[in-house]
Amino acid sequence: MDGEEVIFSLRPYRFVWFAVVQTAMTIIGILFIPFALIWGLIAVRRYHYWLTTKRVIWCHGFIGYQVRSVPLERIADVVISRTFPEMVAGISSIDIRDMTGQTQTRNAFGTGTGAKWIGVKDAPEIQKRILEQIKQVNENTRKL
């Protein structure tokens, strides 16, 4: 968009390992580990996250893909989460909560209604940068 700059761009970290671990933790998951491995290898190229001067953007999908965004002024909170499969895989996720109070989350297979930045390396630093950008946007809006 006009006047919008990318602050950082991320891809999931250890996403393939997460896909296999999450699948293996289900009762019948062991039978689906080869599928999870293939899915993880494909999906890692389809997941991408951006923070710009105006919004957070995420691209996700498996066969197709979807690009979604939320303006920074509509974000109420940025939460670091670590489910048990994520902990085993050695990754963290960032959940984005909008002004309605809903957590904008997605599960690893792309279903749900929103964003969960899966496989974020150094999640506390990324959370800090997003919150700083939200603060800056809100301060600039008040000045106008």
Side-chain angles (χ1 to χ4, degrees):
M1 293 178 69
D2 291 336
E4 186 172 20
E5 298 175 28
V6 173
I7 295 171
F8 65 77
S9 173
L10 299 172
R11 290 215 181 259
Y13 173 71
R14 295 187 179 172
F15 191 82
V16 175
W17 177 234
F18 168 69
V20 171
V21 166
Q22 182 174 351
T23 303
M25 290 187 153
T26 65
I27 294 172
I28 59 171
I30 293 174
L31 300 173
F32 294 105
I33 287 178
F35 172 75
L37 180 62
I38 292 167
W39 172 78
L41 290 169
I42 292 170
V44 75
R45 297 188 189 331
R46 296 289 188 126
Y47 281 62
H48 203 121
Y49 319 120
W50 297 271
L51 171 65
T52 73
T53 54
K54 295 184 178 185
R55 58 198 170 128
V56 293
I57 306 166
W58 59 99
C59 177
H60 55 89
F62 177 61
I63 295 172
Y65 67 93
Q66 185 176 27
V67 178
R68 301 178 62 130
S69 67
V70 173
L72 292 172
E73 60 269 6
R74 296 213 18 101
I75 297 174
D77 201 5
V78 180
V79 180
I80 296 172
S81 71
R82 245 184 145 180
T83 63
F84 186 69
E86 289 170 332
M87 189 172 57
V88 172
I91 65 173
S92 296
S93 295
I94 293 182
D95 293 324
I96 298 177
R97 295 186 182 177
D98 67 13
M99 293 293 218
T100 64
Q102 295 176 347
T103 303
Q104 301 291 315
T105 58
R106 291 190 105 41
N107 66 27
F109 295 100
T111 61
T113 59
K116 182 173 187 173
W117 289 15
I118 299 170
V120 177
K121 187 175 183 178
D122 197 15
E125 179 61 27
I126 298 301
Q127 177 193 40
K128 179 182 171 187
R129 290 179 71 185
I130 293 170
L131 291 171
E132 286 172 353
Q133 193 61 33
I134 291 168
K135 180 180 177 183
Q136 184 177 0
V137 166
N138 288 337
E139 286 174 356
N140 290 340
T141 302
R142 282 187 218 129
K143 290 178 184 178
L144 298 175

